[in-house]
Amino acid sequence: MALSLCCAVALGPRCLLSIPPLPDYTERGSIMLGMVNPIRATSTKPVILFSKHPDPRPCVIFRNDLYKSILALLFAVKEVNESPYLLPNITLGFQMYDSCFSEPLSLQATFQMTSGGGNYAPNYNCEPQPIPPAVIGDISSSSLAIARVLGLWRLPQVSYIATVPSLSNKLEFPSFLRTSVSIESQPRSLIEMCKKFGWTWIGIFISSIDYFQPSATALTREATKNGICIAFFETVTYVLSKEKIPVMIENVRRSTANVIILYCSPAEVYMIFTEVLQQNLIGKMWIGIESWFTTPIFLQKQLWNILNGTIGMAKSRKILPNFSNFLQSLRPSTHSRMFSIQQFWEQLFNCRWAVDGANISLSSGVGRDSPACTGLEKLVTDDLTEFNDPTSQNTYMAHNALYTIAHAIHNLLSCKPGQGPFAGNSCADKHDVKPWQLLYYLKRVWFLNTAGEEVSFDANGDIHGYFDILNWRLKDNRGQYEKVGTVSNFSNTGPELFINDSAIFWAGGPGKVPLSVCSHDCPPGYRKAPQRGQPVCCFDCVPCPDGMISNQTNSTTCFMCPEDQWSNNDRTKCIPKVIEFLSYGEPLGLVMASFSIIFSVTTMMVLCVFVKFRDTTVVKANNRNLSYLLLLSLTFCFLCSLAFIGCPSRLTCTIRQALFGVTFSLCISCILAKTIIVVIAFKATKPGSNLRVWVGSRTALLVVLISTCVQVFIILVWLIRFPPFLEPDYHLLIGIILLGCNEGSVVMFYCTIGYLGFLATISFVVAFLARNLPDSFNEAKYITFSMLTFLSVWTSFIPAYLSTKGKYVVAVEIFAILVSSFGLLCFIFGPKCYIILLKPSMNTRDYLRAKT
């Protein structure tokens, strides 16, 4: 009584808008669903002057292309009601309205369903039937209006045809879901397909219609994000493009882009292809989108040569099992109140209904001489024709829409007390289900449909659905669509693309994928260098520099090889660097090692000669012991050069300069001692000289010991404070690791060389001053020449040492050691050996006295 009073007050005549109710088609069931579907359209929008009560909007144009989706809803309801597993003992019914492609009529139908009858007061229902728990429908523009109203009470709406991206906004449309894929997914899918086939240089024709503008933005954004450049971007306006289209197509002809995406309406696409045909433009690959790729454009035979091999996207076109049987058993008499069933029948069988004995057509396009419709005609169809029917995609989505609601209701009714998802683990009241409770289950629904495909929604209410990639081809003088792939699992990481390349028919021939790039790929070993003022897809291929590689096609950078590696000739991989040092195996090292051994053996032979003839006058007159020591030190000087040859190690790096410095200091000290002894001996012969006490081996030993110890001290400081160490040099020579010794301290190295120069200079000065002493066996002149040679060699060594690189630095030092040592051997001991071996008559005391 209270409820009736409330309804009487709330819905009094003065509180209602006087709008005649819309006709509906209702089939009763335990649970009644609402359906708002586009079936017919109006030819023109009436002009309302408000001088009289506005007439109802005329809906007279039958849309046969969408009617099969209405039949798919009937088929799905029939399947659910006959299923022993889904909603057992419960029947689904529905209340269907024709939206007439009109937002006002869609809203009126929504109010009529949610108010329980002809009184339009949403959320008030005084009729016996309950408010539908969910609504199926409508197209994008109408769904926006319906979703705003139903979202107020969180009443679920499931659309199978709305694709506008804004409906994914759950803050604005919290109760909207859809089994069709949002058009915003198409740009990402198209770009993925371009990436798949290597099309990085594409053209775009975009419609100026507001419906396509968000997709235009998304398409350019996705292209930029994925490194695909747009060669041209043309906006197509149907009214103004008759003059512009020829210019646009001419631009396409001149462009190097061979792949063009047509993001337009069917009418605009037809206008574009008409001009393409007129200009005889061939060799371009046209990419279609869902809005036109499955439209009657492909029925125009004059366009078949242009469209042959075209690839496009469409909503998933799975075959519904037994749907063809349902269509074959369909009779108008069983659904006599169904919207436009007679018009559907007329267009399907090209017949006319008999009304009062006369054949009267209820729809346009039926010939006057067409036979009468009997209602017993049988639809001849099979799964193949169903799949190639462009309307099958909407059929499949409509079927999924009803099944999602059925599964959500089934899950809601299957809830066990204490295990529910609501407060206190409660379940919904099965006799008073709230819309938001069903919405909870709808958002989480998951099932395998009758085609074997998963159906579920993401957080935005969009189906985890699929696009089919279709290839249109001519076969046996008839056109048909072939499914060659799918795009699925749209997420933040992007769509997953599956394409069977071998199944695609290309206009250029089997396997001849069209090429659409601004610049050809850069092979490994090269990098891409952008062209000034051009998009990133236009570039030059620049070879990688030495020491850098690129091992991938179209690499943007070259990568530096590790320190111990170098690039190969193709700059495609890093190979180990050649380790270089002065080795015994190469000619230079072999020659120097040979000379070192030969000279050391020669020196030992000279020593043997001196030992053998030790009692002769020449040997005794030139300080025999110093000569022995000098020859031994020269031998070690020659041999120490071997420490500089071969693979350096920590030990050789430490000792080689020390050996060189000590042996040469000993050698020069012996020569200095010889020179000093000669001068002292001459001065001591004068009467009353006090130098006689200095003539003897003690003086020589003292000079040698002091001179050598100074060098030993310098070297010890060097080895303790700044020890040499093994150091590979990766950068001195290209592609080579120079394995050498770091001297530790350049200052200490030159101190060692400088001290040798200091000793040699003193020896040279003293010998030079004593060169004319009247002594037949005076060797001061020979020492002068030897010291002059020594100083010349080591003076030349310094600039040569500083100007050479790599192993030749070591070679220069070895050369200086060998030449300076050989000079000492030749100038000091050459004349003596000549006398001892070849002129023994001169090697006598008598000859010396006679000469004196």
Side-chain angles (χ1 to χ4, degrees), residues 4-187:
S4 300
L5 180 60
C6 176
C7 290
V9 173
L11 303 180
R14 296 181 182 274
C15 299
L16 300 177
L17 294 173
S18 69
I19 302 176
L22 294 175
D24 66 280
Y25 171 54
T26 302
E27 288 191 5
R28 295 296 174 183
S30 305
I31 299 177
M32 297 293 293
L33 301 179
M35 296 182 184
V36 182
N37 305 300
I39 299 174
R40 294 168 297 182
T42 181
S43 56
T44 58
K45 294 183 179 181
V47 178
I48 302 177
L49 301 176
F50 300 104
S51 59
K52 64 176 182 177
H53 191 282
D55 294 328
R57 180 169 180 166
C59 296
V60 294
I61 300 177
F62 174 65
R63 289 291 300 269
N64 186 52
D65 56 332
L66 296 177
Y67 200 75
K68 271 192 180 179
S69 59
I70 309 300
L71 298 179
L73 291 173
L74 299 182
F75 172 63
V77 170
K78 179 176 179 292
E79 280 189 321
V80 170
N81 288 339
E82 293 176 356
S83 172
Y85 308 106
L86 186 60
L87 295 177
N89 303 320
I90 294 177
T91 58
L92 286 182
F94 58 85
Q95 187 177 8
M96 183 185 296
Y97 292 88
D98 181 7
S99 67
C100 198
F101 290 87
S102 168
E103 293 90 335
L105 293 183
S106 297
L107 274 177
Q108 184 178 349
T110 302
F111 288 146
Q112 198 164 319
M113 283 186 298
T114 55
S115 300
N119 297 320
Y120 309 136
N123 209 31
Y124 284 93
N125 186 8
C126 299
E127 300 296 327
Q129 71 224 35
I131 296 175
V135 175
I136 296 177
D138 189 8
I139 62 173
S140 293
S141 57
S142 297
S143 288
L144 288 168
I146 296 174
R148 293 187 193 279
V149 174
L150 298 183
L152 296 174
W153 306 289
R154 304 301 191 264
L155 199 153
Q157 175 191 357
V158 181
S159 175
Y160 60 88
I161 197 173
T163 58
V164 65
S166 58
L167 286 167
S168 298
N169 186 347
K170 291 303 104 181
L171 294 177
E172 193 172 359
F173 306 104
S175 62
F176 178 84
L177 303 98
R178 55 181 157 197
T179 56
S180 61
V181 182
S182 168
I183 62 169
E184 198 172 43
S185 303
Q186 285 193 80

Side-chain angles (χ1 to χ4, degrees), residues 460-471:
N460 295 325
D462 295 326
I463 193 172
H464 287 109
Y466 306 84
F467 275 121
D468 287 336
I469 300 176
L470 304 180
N471 182 214

Side-chain angles (χ1 to χ4, degrees), residues 523-529 541-552 554-561 567 570-572 574:
Y526 291 79
R527 66 173 179 87
K528 296 195 298 184
C541 294
V542 179
C544 291
D546 289 337
M548 303 182 75
I549 65 163
S550 65
N551 53 12
Q552 294 180 344
N554 286 336
S555 179
T556 56
T557 57
C558 296
F559 302 98
M560 183 69 70
C561 288
S567 56
D570 297 330
R571 309 292 194 273
T572 56
C574 293

